[in-house]
């Protein structure tokens, strides 16, 4: 034994390296799982290492400022700078290809809209509420005018971390916006003063009985116990994976998540693709009406758009029976924070501009647009894109990934792995510790306020007081090489219905603003 120890102690450090590499080489040759490592022992590992850090190499060293997806460096930089109240301007002109397909042009007025001295935006340059009231047409007991046109989209506790949800909720309180819960149920982290839109999908998490079916009794009690819930949203589908249920891995289900969602510990939780509470369009409408009757709140639906046949049936039923959802959230096929197979994320459902145009035109032809608040969701968290959305008929926008970036998301694109390095989309306690809730909530609010301020400035430049006044011919997009740009009405073949608007002061004086009454 002493001889062996003496022999080992006399081996130099570089010989140990050679021995280690030799052992790795032998192991590589013996194994059959990885062809590259077998055919190229030791050096084959370099390929796997480079592949694992490929996204980081492209993001920080290879891709140019306008090249990355889903959000390029310029877009992320604008959100980061806006959330930190830093200089978000750019110099020396745009570096964007303004002749590229779908590039947006906003037609400015010769003389911009002029604010009078007593105008609400003279005192508050980011006061920008929704021009419509949710639930007003259907005479809901508690109608709601969102106090902000930009709000936090559906992202669940479980998908996002506790500190991320808390930061978002405290941020929307500062910015007078609302916070959509996502389908993971109402958590303690949603209860920090911000307005909440309670959202549920096919899993009915937070309002399900022991058999996994919808429980009206639980929903009614939830609303009674939490008066900051201003509206209910029923998810039919989402842009990331329409027509497919979700999966929450058992490894991500903590005791807290189990109690909030009313699901067992340790088992994968499946959200089915279909609702068990209704099967037909009339049943959907009656389901919406029953919830509104029991809770007194406005009730809406959220969906990604593909085939229009059932949407036509919904519009016809609403027209014939004078009832139906108070708002419709149109989710773009661009996807979002939800994990999805590439076959779904890349190919199923329409991108937001096509989806919204098709749907709005359908409801417009039926004369139903005035009773519905239209909400856009799909990479719209930038003032120019929002102007296009409002010109097409949107009344509010919801943002998900942009909101995540404002509280620290770096677009690592590992949301589905529970290894988010920024602590935003993970249940790992150590990674969450990096989120300073007071700071991040201020940054979310600052991003929202900067967005509203710049959106108002664009609106005024176009000669209007409120974005609801945008018309289809106020915005142009590049469509092809022959006729480089067309106005929205020529591109999408409809005219937006004029939204009734009596001035910003009337919105400020509204008793339903922000759910104050």
């Amino acid at each position: 034994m002493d001889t062996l120890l003496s022999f080992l102690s006399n081996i130099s450090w570089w010989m140990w390296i050679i021995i280690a590499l030799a052992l790795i080489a032998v192991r590589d040759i013996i194994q059959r799982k990885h062809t590259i490592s077998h055919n190229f022992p030791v050096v084959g590992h370099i390929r796997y290492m480079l592949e694992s850090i490929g996204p980081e190499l492209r993001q920080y060293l290879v891709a140019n400022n306008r090249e990355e997806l889903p959000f390029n460096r310029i877009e992320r930089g604008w959100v980061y700078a806006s959330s930190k109240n830093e200089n978000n301007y750019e110099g020396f002109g745009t570096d964007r290809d303004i002749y590229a397909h779908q590039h947006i042009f906003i037609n400015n007025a010769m003389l911009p809209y002029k604010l009078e001295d007593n105008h609400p935006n003279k005192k508050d340059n980011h006061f920008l509420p929704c021009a419509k009231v949710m639930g007003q047409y259907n005479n809901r007991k508690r109608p709601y005018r969102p106090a902000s046109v930009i709000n936090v989209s559906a992202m669940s506790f479980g998908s996002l971390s506790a500190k991320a949800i808390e930061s978002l909720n405290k941020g929307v309180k500062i910015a007078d916006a609302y916070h959509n819960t996502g389908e993971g149920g109402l958590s303690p982290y949603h209860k920090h003063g911000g307005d909440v839109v309670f959202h549920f999908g096919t899993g009915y998490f937070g309002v399900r009985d022991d058999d996994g079916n919808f429980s009206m009794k639980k929903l009614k009690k939830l609303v009674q116990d939490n008066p900051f819930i201003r509206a209910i949203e029923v998810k039919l589908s989402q842009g990331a994976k329409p027509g497919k249920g979700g999966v929450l891995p058992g490894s991500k289900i903590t005791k807290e998540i189990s109690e909030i969602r009313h699901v067992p510990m340790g088992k994968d939780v499946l959200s089915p693709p279909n609702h068990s509470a209704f099967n037909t369009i009339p049943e959907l409408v009656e389901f919406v009406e029953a919830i509104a009757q029991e809770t007194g709140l406005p009730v809406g639906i959220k969906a990604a758009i593909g085939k229009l046949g059932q949407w036509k049936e919904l519009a016809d039923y609403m027209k014939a029976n004078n009832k139906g959802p108070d708002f419709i959230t149109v989710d773009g096929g661009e996807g979002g924070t939800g994990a999805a197979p590439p076959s779904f994320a890349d190919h199923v459902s329409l991108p937001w501009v096509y989806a919204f145009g098709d749907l709005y035109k359908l409801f417009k032809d039926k004369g139903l647009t005035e009773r519905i608040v239209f909400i856009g969701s799909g990479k719209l968290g930038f003032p120019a894109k929002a102007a296009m959305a409002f010109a097409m008929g949107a009344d509010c926008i919801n943002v998900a990934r942009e909101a995540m970036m404002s509280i620290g998301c770096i677009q690592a694109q590992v949301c589905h792995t529970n290894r988010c390095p920024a602590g935003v989309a993970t249940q790992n306690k150590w990674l969450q510790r990096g989120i300073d809730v007071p700071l991040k909530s201020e940054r979310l609010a600052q991003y929202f306020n900067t967005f509203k301020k710049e959106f108002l400035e664009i609106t005024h430049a176009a000669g209007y007081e409120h974005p609801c006044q945008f018309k289809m011919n106020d915005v142009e997009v590049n469509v092809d090489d022959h006729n480089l740009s067309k106005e929205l009405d020529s591109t999408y073949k409809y005219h937006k219905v004029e939204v009734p608007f009596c001035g910003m002061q009337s919105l400020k004086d509204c008793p339903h603003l922000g759910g104050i009454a």
Side-chain angles (χ1 to χ4, degrees):
M1 187 65 178
D2 291 342
T3 304
L4 177 62
L5 292 175
S6 176
F7 172 75
L8 293 175
S9 65
N10 288 327
I11 298 176
S12 60
W13 64 269
W14 55 269
M15 282 296 294
W16 281 115
I17 294 176
I18 293 175
I19 292 169
L21 292 176
L23 291 173
I24 293 173
V26 171
R27 178 259 181 197
D28 287 346
I29 293 171
I30 293 174
Q31 64 85 31
R32 296 289 180 179
K33 187 176 180 181
H34 300 290
T35 304
I36 298 298
S37 296
H38 172 80
N39 292 345
F40 302 94
V42 181
V43 295
H45 289 276
I46 297 174
R47 181 260 183 192
Y48 296 110
M49 182 185 70
L50 291 175
E51 183 181 46
S52 69
I53 62 173
E56 288 80 6
L57 291 174
R58 290 188 291 274
Q59 181 173 353
Y60 295 111
L61 299 177
V62 179
N64 67 38
N65 288 343
R66 298 287 187 183
E67 197 171 42
E68 294 175 87
L69 292 173
F71 293 90
N72 63 48
R73 190 171 293 135
I74 294 295
E75 290 172 329
R76 295 200 316 276
W78 183 84
V79 174
Y80 295 147
S82 297
S83 65
K84 297 174 185 177
N85 201 23
E86 296 176 349
N87 185 349
N88 62 3
Y89 287 20
E90 60 182 45
F92 210 64
T94 181
D95 62 354
R96 185 185 292 273
D97 179 5
I98 62 175
Y99 300 102
H101 182 64
Q102 288 289 332
H103 185 76
I104 299 167
F105 301 94
I106 299 164
N107 295 324
N108 60 293
M110 181 179 175
L111 298 175
Y113 178 82
K114 184 177 181 180
L115 296 176
E116 301 298 333
D117 291 339
N118 61 347
H119 194 279
N121 290 132
K122 274 283 190 179
K123 303 172 184 176
D124 183 353
N125 61 7
H126 46 74
F127 174 70
L128 188 53
C130 179
K132 290 181 182 175
V133 178
M134 292 180 178
Q136 188 172 50
Y137 178 87
N138 290 314
N139 295 314
R140 306 305 188 198
K141 295 176 185 175
R142 292 173 56 191
Y144 175 60
R145 185 192 296 275
S148 170
V149 297
I150 179 173
N151 301 282
V152 172
S153 190
M155 296 182 285
S156 305
F157 171 56
S159 175
L160 299 194
S161 67
K163 286 195 172 184
I165 294 292
E166 184 178 347
S167 298
L168 293 173
N169 193 262
K170 289 182 174 180
V172 298
K173 180 183 179 182
I174 300 169
D176 292 325
Y178 68 68
H179 185 185
N180 190 306
T181 62
E183 66 173 319
L186 185 73
S187 74
Y189 312 105
H190 291 101
K191 302 178 181 181
H192 291 279
D195 282 356
V196 164
V197 172
F198 182 75
H199 166 116
F200 65 84
T202 58
Y204 305 118
F205 300 126
V207 289
R208 59 191 263 148
D209 61 21
D210 293 337
D211 298 321
N213 296 315
F214 173 75
S215 170
M216 183 69 80
K217 181 179 177 181
K218 283 192 173 182
L219 178 60
K220 189 174 181 179
K221 186 175 188 309
L222 188 77
V223 171
Q224 289 173 342
D225 292 345
N226 300 281
F228 52 81
I229 298 177
R230 306 298 187 185
I232 309 291
E233 183 175 79
V234 182
K235 185 181 82 171
L236 305 181
S237 61
Q238 66 184 79
K241 48 180 183 291
K244 178 178 173 59
V247 178
L248 182 65
S251 60
K252 289 188 73 172
I253 300 176
T254 64
K255 185 175 184 296
E256 186 176 36
I257 292 173
S258 171
E259 292 173 353
I260 291 168
R261 296 197 178 202
H262 197 61
V263 296
M265 290 278 292
K267 292 184 179 180
D268 290 351
V269 176
L270 305 178
S271 300
N274 302 99
H275 276 269
S276 60
F278 53 86
N279 294 303
T280 66
I281 296 301
E283 288 176 356
L284 165 61
V285 173
E286 296 308 321
F287 182 67
V288 165
E289 290 296 327
I291 291 174
Q293 181 64 36
E294 291 293 325
T295 65
L297 296 179
V299 181
I301 56 177
K302 173 184 177 178
I305 311 300
K307 295 180 179 180
L308 294 176
Q310 290 173 323
W311 288 102
K312 290 178 181 176
E313 184 183 350
L314 172 61
D316 288 335
Y317 191 87
M318 291 174 63
K319 182 79 171 179
N321 295 276
N322 201 32
K323 61 173 76 171
D326 300 293
F327 62 94
I328 297 177
T329 302
V330 178
D331 205 12
E334 295 89 342
T337 57
S343 55
F344 271 79
D346 294 347
H347 301 289
V348 182
S349 84
L350 294 172
W352 189 85
V353 287
Y354 305 141
F356 187 86
D358 286 351
L359 193 72
Y360 184 91
K361 184 163 40 176
L362 190 157
F363 280 88
K364 172 186 176 293
D365 291 344
K366 301 292 182 181
L368 297 172
T369 56
E370 291 185 7
R371 68 170 75 175
I372 300 169
V373 174
F374 288 98
I375 302 172
S377 177
K379 292 182 67 176
L380 299 173
F382 304 91
K385 288 186 176 180
M388 178 194 68
F390 273 70
M392 293 179 69
D395 301 297
C396 283
I397 64 167
N398 286 351
V399 295
R401 290 170 290 183
E402 299 94 320
M404 290 169 64
M405 287 189 285
S406 75
I407 64 169
C409 166
I410 62 170
Q411 193 172 278
Q413 295 181 274
V414 291
C415 311
H416 57 296
T417 66
N418 204 34
R419 298 196 302 270
C420 170
V424 175
T426 178
Q427 298 307 307
N428 183 295
K429 297 294 185 183
W430 173 259
L431 294 173
Q432 288 186 53
R433 290 183 62 180
I435 297 179
D436 182 334
V437 173
L439 175 63
K440 299 301 185 183
S441 60
E442 288 285 350
R443 288 186 176 177
L444 182 279
Q446 186 59 53
Y447 159 57
F448 273 19
N449 287 340
T450 301
F451 171 94
K452 288 184 283 186
K453 173 180 172 289
E454 292 195 13
F455 192 17
L456 273 169
E457 289 171 346
I458 287 177
T459 302
H460 296 162
Y464 299 125
E465 184 181 6
H466 190 282
C468 73
Q469 297 172 288
F470 272 112
K471 299 177 177 63
M472 297 285 279
N473 58 11
D474 289 318
V475 180
E476 299 182 22
V477 292
N478 287 339
V479 290
D480 55 42
D481 291 333
H482 175 65
N483 184 0
L484 282 177
S485 70
K486 284 186 178 180
E487 294 168 346
L488 290 177
D489 53 352
S490 299
T491 303
Y492 298 110
K493 308 300 182 186
Y494 72 91
H495 287 274
K496 169 194 166 185
V497 175
E498 184 177 345
V499 176
F501 177 67
C502 299
M504 199 70 84
Q505 188 65 46
S506 68
L507 303 187
K508 187 175 182 181
D509 296 337
C510 174
H512 308 300
L513 179 64
I516 57 177

